[in-house]
Every structure is written in C-alpha cells, then in structure tokens.
Amino acid sequence: MDSLKEIFHRAPVNSSLIVINILIFLIAEITGGTENAMHMLDLGAANPLLIVEQREYYRLFTSMFLHFGMAHLANNMLVLFVIGENLERAAGGIRYLIIYLLGGLGGNLVSCYFSYTQDAMTISAGASGAIFGTMGAMIYVLLVNKGRVENLTIRQIAIMAAFSLYFGYTSHGVDNAAHVGGLLVGFFAAFLFYRRKKRVIGEEL
C-alpha cells in the first residue's frame, strides 16, 4: 500500500484538496455541526436567494468545500482520490486545479439557476460539482488518448459517471443540476486546457 508521502508526491494538488476538504469539515463539525443547515449557511453554503438577490457570489466558491455529514464527505473524497489523481498526472497540477475549480463553480451556477427559477430555496453544499467536473475532464482526456490513460479506461469512467448520475436522480436531497453542470463544464474545460503529452523517441548513438 502506498504511503501518504508517495501519494502526495504523485498528485500534490489533488491530495491538498482532499486535506483541505477534511479540515474544513472538522472545523464545521466542531463549531456547530455539519448537518445543521443554518450553521452551514453561516459558513458559506449556497442559497439561490442569497446569491442572486443579496449578491453573495462568494457562496458559489465556499460551498464547494462544505459537506453535510461524514457520509457526504467520504463519498466525495473517495471518488476524488481515484479520479483526481489520474487527471492531475495527465493534465498537470495547475491545469487540474483550474479544471476542478471551474467544474465546481460551473456546477454551482447551474444549480443556482435552476433552484432560483423553480423557487426551490435550498441550502446546498459539497464538492460534487467539482468532482463531476473531473469526471467530465477525464472523459475528454481518455477520448483524446484513444480510450486509456495509465490503468483507467473510457469504459470505467463512463460507467462511474452514469452510475453516479443515476444514483443522484433516484435519491432524495441530491443536487443533480450541479452534477450535470459540473460534468459538462469539466469536459469543456479539459478541451480548453488539456494538451496531450507528446512522446519523445530517443535515438541510440
């Protein structure tokens, strides 16, 4: 089993994102509880009314690092650990961070739009928009690389994305708009920022 040092060395940005999410979760849990909706709102969870009418746009960003309960955090971080590491190694740390943040912001914007237009004044939080962004980006990367990057295949990531979307639509209290928005934004972000690495063929002298 890989040591933490090796994991951080392979994917420092992804590992740092996971650590940041865990630390923020612990702070939120200690200071008032991560399943306390009003406490989460005070910490920066998303709410369409506050974002649109009060212009608290920062919530589109801060809500990406908050999670409702341990199960919510654990599920998101597990998926991020698997996909994020592969994407960071393929795209590079800076590009990966840009894709992650754009996926999260894009997913939250789509969620905010649908919730506001449907008068669903929900309180939402979670990294799922960003994580679906990494899924969408990974799909693009795999397509560019003929269906395989290291040990990950297009079939595997497509099944994971489809299952995750299906689970969201068949479960209560899941922000499906953020998932779909993040997936699409991540795909197009990868189109903009990802460049396939050229193989260098050495010559023997």
Side-chain angles (χ1 to χ4, degrees), residues 19-29 34 43 62 65-66:
V19 170
I20 290 169
N21 275 282
I22 293 173
L23 289 176
I24 291 176
F25 175 84
L26 292 174
I27 292 171
E29 189 68 44
T34 56
L43 293 178
T62 55
F65 297 93
L66 295 169

Side-chain angles (χ1 to χ4, degrees), residues 128-145:
S128 56
I131 292 169
F132 270 86
T134 65
M135 284 189 192
M138 200 69 228
I139 289 173
Y140 176 82
V141 171
L142 287 164
L143 289 173
V144 170
N145 288 277

Side-chain angles (χ1 to χ4, degrees), residues 72-189:
H72 188 202
L73 174 74
N75 290 336
N76 277 349
M77 293 305 101
L78 179 61
V79 177
L80 183 60
F81 176 77
V82 175
I83 299 177
E85 183 175 327
N86 280 276
L87 182 59
E88 182 177 349
R89 288 202 301 270
I94 299 300
R95 290 188 179 92
Y96 168 67
L97 181 60
I98 292 171
I99 291 169
Y100 178 91
L101 294 176
L102 287 178
L105 290 171
N108 285 343
L109 278 170
V110 173
S111 171
C112 180
Y113 171 78
F114 278 100
S115 294
Y116 188 77
T117 56
Q118 296 174 9
D119 293 324
M121 295 299 106
T122 56
I123 297 173
S124 58
S128 56
I131 292 169
F132 270 86
T134 65
M135 284 189 192
M138 200 69 228
I139 289 173
Y140 176 82
V141 171
L142 287 164
L143 289 173
V144 170
N145 288 277
K146 300 179 180 180
R148 178 180 288 275
V149 173
E150 296 182 10
N151 62 342
L152 192 63
T153 66
I154 188 69
R155 177 184 174 86
Q156 292 171 328
I157 196 68
I159 290 174
M160 181 180 293
F163 178 78
S164 298
L165 288 173
Y166 174 78
F167 176 78
Y169 277 103
T170 56
S171 302
H172 177 70
V174 176
D175 194 343
N176 297 299
H179 293 179
V180 175
L183 188 74
L184 294 175
V185 171
F187 184 90
F188 285 107

